[in-house]
Amino acid sequence: MKFVKISAAIGLLAFATPALADMTANYVGPNGAMTMKIEIAANGDIRGQTGAPNAYFITRDGHGYMIQATFDGPAVMRVEDMATVMAEQMKKIMPDMPPPKSKDAPGFTLVKGGEVTIRGRKGIAYYMDIAKDGKPIGNPIVVISTDPDLAPLGVAMAYQFNMSVTMMGQVLGDTSPLKGMQDILKTGAPILFTGLQLDTVNRDPIPAEHFVLPAGPLDIDGVRKTMGAGPK
């Protein structure tokens, strides 16, 4: 379903934070199978895009927008409207599912490990703890660098994830892995984030038009249509 695909992109594309100068960060997945580009303007505007060319995310003045290509041109959707539509759809799919509580949440927590090196950068690794016994397993889920040169990226990622959690909370509730990731992202910049590794960072000026919305935001019914949800 379209709304599921779009919601999956939100965690990768929603970024917003003040910055001292323009910054572009490029992440890459294993074997280059997936990429993510984050552009941070000096005034705090953000644009993020994965390897998929038909969707990207812009944050302006602390408000997030997803831009989705359609046959009628680019569709601009407010994050809060997308959250409303996703919550509506989840209720349709699972009408009897109670809102999850953090203490009952299935899945895993995150546990701190030691220092690792990702593409020449050092950081502290955090792992899944499925048994919730404090013992890390598998490969790191996130690796955090405290390099001051990456501080704007760290603040951006933390702000972004908080926005995503606020939005997805309408669907998922306050689950412990999300809360754990929020706390971790406050400590520095992720040089590895759910499989994506920080590859290159530069401070070249970014054209202001990169952060301009290509159209006015859709109303809620337009968001439902674009996300494939149909009328309420």
Side-chain angles (χ1 to χ4, degrees):
M1 294 178 68
K2 285 185 180 179
F3 87 95
V4 173
K5 293 180 181 179
I6 294 175
S7 65
I10 290 172
L12 294 178
L13 295 178
F15 295 91
T17 179
L20 297 178
D22 290 358
M23 172 184 281
T24 300
N26 292 287
Y27 287 81
V28 63
N31 301 318
M34 186 173 183
T35 61
M36 181 172 68
K37 182 178 183 179
I38 308 302
E39 295 175 301
I40 308 171
N43 67 354
D45 291 346
I46 305 296
R47 175 172 172 148
Q49 186 165 11
T50 63
N54 62 342
Y56 59 96
F57 196 97
I58 285 178
T59 296
R60 293 174 58 89
D61 302 321
H63 298 284
Y65 305 89
M66 178 70 76
I67 294 85
Q68 176 76 33
T70 73
F71 289 114
D72 298 322
V76 179
M77 298 175 285
R78 299 180 184 90
V79 165
E80 55 266 33
D81 290 337
M82 295 176 68
T84 297
V85 173
M86 288 194 301
E88 291 172 355
Q89 289 303 296
M90 189 61 67
K91 188 173 182 180
K92 287 180 181 179
I93 295 169
M94 294 179 285
D96 299 323
M97 184 183 73
K101 306 295 183 182
S102 60
K103 65 183 179 64
D104 301 320
F108 60 91
T109 58
L110 295 169
V111 61
K112 185 176 181 179
E115 186 178 76
V116 299
T117 300
I118 304 293
R119 293 181 176 264
R121 300 180 178 92
K122 295 184 181 297
I124 300 299
Y126 294 82
Y127 300 81
M128 283 196 303
D129 177 12
I130 294 178
K132 300 182 181 181
D133 59 1
K135 297 179 181 179
I137 63 169
N139 296 319
I141 295 297
V142 61
V143 177
I144 299 295
S145 168
T146 56
D147 183 346
D149 288 340
L150 299 178
L153 178 61
V155 177
M157 292 289 277
Y159 191 104
Q160 165 268 321
F161 199 80
N162 290 340
M163 181 185 294
S164 298
V165 168
T166 298
M167 189 193 73
M168 293 301 293
Q170 296 190 40
V171 178
L172 300 176
D174 180 22
T175 61
S176 53
L178 295 182
K179 179 62 170 65
M181 186 66 80
Q182 281 181 291
D183 294 338
I184 290 168
L185 289 174
K186 294 175 183 177
T187 65
I191 55 176
L192 182 144
F193 186 69
T194 60
L196 290 169
Q197 299 178 352
L198 181 61
D199 185 21
T200 62
V201 176
N202 70 66
R203 298 278 188 168
D204 297 338
I206 303 170
E209 56 265 27
H210 282 208
F211 308 99
V212 175
L213 298 178
L218 297 173
D219 61 19
I220 189 67
D221 285 332
V223 174
R224 291 188 182 106
K225 179 180 177 181
T226 301
M227 295 178 69
K232 182 177 179 181

